[in-house]
Amino acid sequence: MARKADAKRAEIIEFWRTVEMFSPQSVEKVRRERLVFAVQPGEPLPWEPDHEIARRPLRSNQTWRHVVYLGTYRLDAVFETISRFFEPDLDSFDERPAGESAVAMFLVDEDGKAVLDSAVLSSCAWATGQVLSRGRRSRDWLRGFEDAAERFSEAWSEQVIKEIVPPVDEDSPPTVYRWVLDHVRLRACLAAATAPAGVGEALSCTEIRIRSQIVARRTADSGGHEFLNSFIMGDLEWVAGRAAKGDVGAALCEYLRPEAEIRTTARVDVRAQPAAYPTLPPSKWIDVSGATAQGHWIPDEGRQLDRVLGTLADLQFDMSEVMVIAPFRDIARQVSGRSRRYPGLVAGTVHTAQGKQADIVILVLGGNPQRPGARQWAASRPNLLNVAVSRAKRRLYVIGDRRAWAAQRHFSVLAADLPHTTPIKPH
């Protein structure tokens, strides 16, 4: 059952990845004042001496870099193409995407030579080609983009690299000589892009567009920029793989819980029963500067914890949705005793909370004032705060000496962002 649920979660994330594959970055329109040019037969290219930008003066630390877009196409043409293969969503009122993108792109330096390893194949163009050639005959109809990108990179390299001279010794890299690109080689690069994408005729992607940029000379040769594709597409593929193995965080696991596993009978209509979902005090840091300590346990902090738990009990809050965690074991031992008074309460060290969530998380910090090194040790582990913050679904209450802990690594951000208050008075 668990494996089936994991597979379903992975399938949902794969769907998100598919959406991202069809969400390319836009390409600027041809505008001379913005230094965006369409490649026209017989006209000079931006890196050639007869082009108009050659007359622009540059500083000594500046140079030209050119982004070459191969096969520009209209984004609404993609919509029209794939709509022939998918049933329309009658509940969707999204407008057709506007703008343009390109089948591939790469960078060119001031000398008109391609920047190695800068070529990028468009996932949207390739995915559209897959729809045209394969339809949806199998579940893996969008598998293989990485292989197509590699084939494009190899074909592109054949057009931009003139010669590779082997290294003279094992410690030296090979010497790569590159062609100065002309119209013929640019057209060959376009063909290298449209072949693996398979969308040449469907998207009418025959134009080559170049955007020229003035950049710092020291960064001019940095390549590999994802100008065309979604920035999270690769991350989603990785997360889907982890989800299939059941290796995802509690929040994502709960968010993607299969519908059949949701306990609908436990749902409460809060409009009809507002008392079933009590109004809780806002998240805050209860500032306690206790001077006496029993190990790392501060009795004054324990009294504040009891008052918070008492307030929740008065609200008839479900104590199984309350988690009390602490960074030190001697605090956890003291806190765990509250579970007998408040049945269902989860209490212990940070490890107790691993993989769990609760509506309310109470972080009791403690820390012997005479041993400040212990605070430094606890604060050196970002996992403590990560667990406390990420496990709280509705409220986070921190109990401890705010001034002492705010001086520690990671806790300074929490102290600045979380509203603080003086200790709660007994009632």
Side-chain angles (χ1 to χ4, degrees), residues 49-129:
D50 293 336
H51 196 275
E52 60 185 82
I53 69 169
R55 298 188 293 272
R56 291 200 176 198
L58 300 180
R59 298 174 184 173
S60 59
N61 63 340
Q62 293 179 327
T63 187
W64 287 105
R65 184 174 66 182
H66 312 277
V67 185
V68 177
Y69 296 106
L70 301 170
T72 57
Y73 60 86
R74 300 183 349 266
L75 292 177
D76 61 354
V78 174
F79 181 91
E80 294 169 0
T81 299
I82 64 176
S83 63
R84 301 200 304 265
F85 296 85
F86 294 87
E87 294 181 5
D89 184 356
L90 300 180
D91 295 327
S92 175
F93 299 96
D94 293 339
E95 296 181 358
R96 292 192 178 193
E100 298 172 293
S101 193
V103 175
M105 61 76 57
F106 65 95
L107 302 179
V108 175
D109 65 19
E110 63 178 340
D111 298 319
K113 298 178 181 179
V115 176
L116 299 179
D117 299 322
S118 67
V120 176
L121 181 68
S122 165
S123 64
C124 178
W126 176 83
T128 304

Side-chain angles (χ1 to χ4, degrees), residues 80-317:
E80 294 169 0
T81 299
I82 64 176
S83 63
R84 301 200 304 265
F85 296 85
F86 294 87
E87 294 181 5
D89 184 356
L90 300 180
D91 295 327
S92 175
F93 299 96
D94 293 339
E95 296 181 358
R96 292 192 178 193
E100 298 172 293
S101 193
V103 175
M105 61 76 57
F106 65 95
L107 302 179
V108 175
D109 65 19
E110 63 178 340
D111 298 319
K113 298 178 181 179
V115 176
L116 299 179
D117 299 322
S118 67
V120 176
L121 181 68
S122 165
S123 64
C124 178
W126 176 83
T128 304
Q130 291 295 101
V131 172
L132 290 170
S133 61
R134 300 178 60 185
R136 298 171 59 193
R137 291 191 296 269
S138 62
R139 293 176 61 88
D140 61 346
W141 63 285
L142 283 183
R143 296 288 182 186
F145 173 66
E146 289 73 18
D147 293 338
E150 185 174 350
R151 292 196 303 273
F152 161 63
S153 180
E154 292 174 355
W156 171 80
S157 296
E158 292 178 1
Q159 299 302 324
V160 302
I161 295 177
K162 183 177 183 180
E163 183 182 7
I164 301 178
V165 178
V168 295
D169 53 58
E170 294 182 355
D171 298 327
S172 301
T175 302
V176 180
Y177 294 96
R178 296 163 293 160
W179 293 103
V180 175
L181 299 175
D182 55 17
H183 286 269
V184 174
R185 293 202 172 273
L186 286 181
R187 285 291 161 187
C189 290
L190 172 60
T194 55
V199 291
E201 295 182 3
L203 299 183
S204 300
C205 43
T206 59
E207 183 194 64
I208 300 175
R209 194 172 298 177
I210 300 175
R211 178 163 59 93
S212 298
Q213 307 167 317
I214 299 175
V215 299
R217 189 172 292 276
R218 60 184 175 82
T219 61
D221 291 336
S222 59
H225 300 282
E226 293 285 338
F227 284 103
L228 292 180
N229 298 331
S230 164
F231 297 116
I232 64 172
M233 186 178 68
D235 294 333
L236 288 173
E237 183 176 16
W238 180 80
V239 174
R242 299 293 293 269
K245 300 176 182 178
D247 186 16
V248 293
L252 183 60
C253 186
E254 183 66 25
Y255 182 75
L256 297 177
R257 180 183 293 276
E259 189 172 349
E261 295 183 12
I262 299 175
R263 295 185 304 157
T264 55
T265 56
R267 290 175 174 171
V268 177
D269 187 345
V270 296
R271 294 172 298 180
Q273 305 177 51
Y277 206 61
T279 301
L280 298 171
S283 297
K284 57 188 169 183
W285 187 312
I286 303 173
D287 189 6
V288 180
S289 54
T292 59
Q294 300 170 8
H296 291 299
W297 170 251
I298 309 292
D300 286 346
E301 294 183 12
R303 284 186 279 275
Q304 290 302 307
L305 172 62
D306 290 337
R307 286 163 190 162
V308 171
L309 294 175
T311 299
L312 296 175
D314 291 344
L315 292 171
Q316 298 183 336
F317 194 81

Side-chain angles (χ1 to χ4, degrees), residues 15 166 175 364-365:
F15 169 76
T175 302
V364 183
L365 293 172

Side-chain angles (χ1 to χ4, degrees), residues 258-421:
E259 189 172 349
E261 295 183 12
I262 299 175
R263 295 185 304 157
T264 55
T265 56
R267 290 175 174 171
V268 177
D269 187 345
V270 296
R271 294 172 298 180
Q273 305 177 51
Y277 206 61
T279 301
L280 298 171
S283 297
K284 57 188 169 183
W285 187 312
I286 303 173
D287 189 6
V288 180
S289 54
T292 59
Q294 300 170 8
H296 291 299
W297 170 251
I298 309 292
D300 286 346
E301 294 183 12
R303 284 186 279 275
Q304 290 302 307
L305 172 62
D306 290 337
R307 286 163 190 162
V308 171
L309 294 175
T311 299
L312 296 175
D314 291 344
L315 292 171
Q316 298 183 336
F317 194 81
D318 182 2
M319 284 299 173
S320 66
E321 284 294 333
V322 180
M323 183 186 301
V324 183
I325 58 177
F328 304 108
R329 287 192 180 91
D330 45 358
I331 301 177
R333 283 193 293 270
Q334 292 279 354
V335 167
S336 61
R338 271 72 176 171
S339 299
R340 292 188 294 274
R341 193 184 319 167
Y342 301 103
L345 178 70
V346 178
T349 62
V350 173
H351 301 292
T352 304
Q354 295 285 2
K356 301 176 182 177
Q357 282 188 303
D359 280 348
I360 297 175
V361 170
I362 306 172
L363 175 60
V364 183
L365 293 172
N368 194 320
Q370 306 303 318
R371 296 165 59 188
R375 285 198 193 100
Q376 296 174 2
W377 170 80
S380 66
R381 300 177 300 161
N383 188 50
L384 171 63
L385 274 184
N386 178 56
V387 170
V389 174
S390 63
R391 270 44 178 181
K393 293 191 288 186
R394 295 183 60 191
R395 295 290 189 269
L396 169 65
Y397 302 125
V398 179
I399 302 175
D401 190 333
R402 181 174 178 272
R403 182 176 181 181
W405 283 93
Q408 306 301 326
R409 186 182 181 190
H410 304 300
F411 281 84
S412 58
V413 177
L414 182 65
D417 291 347
L418 196 64
H420 64 281
T421 184

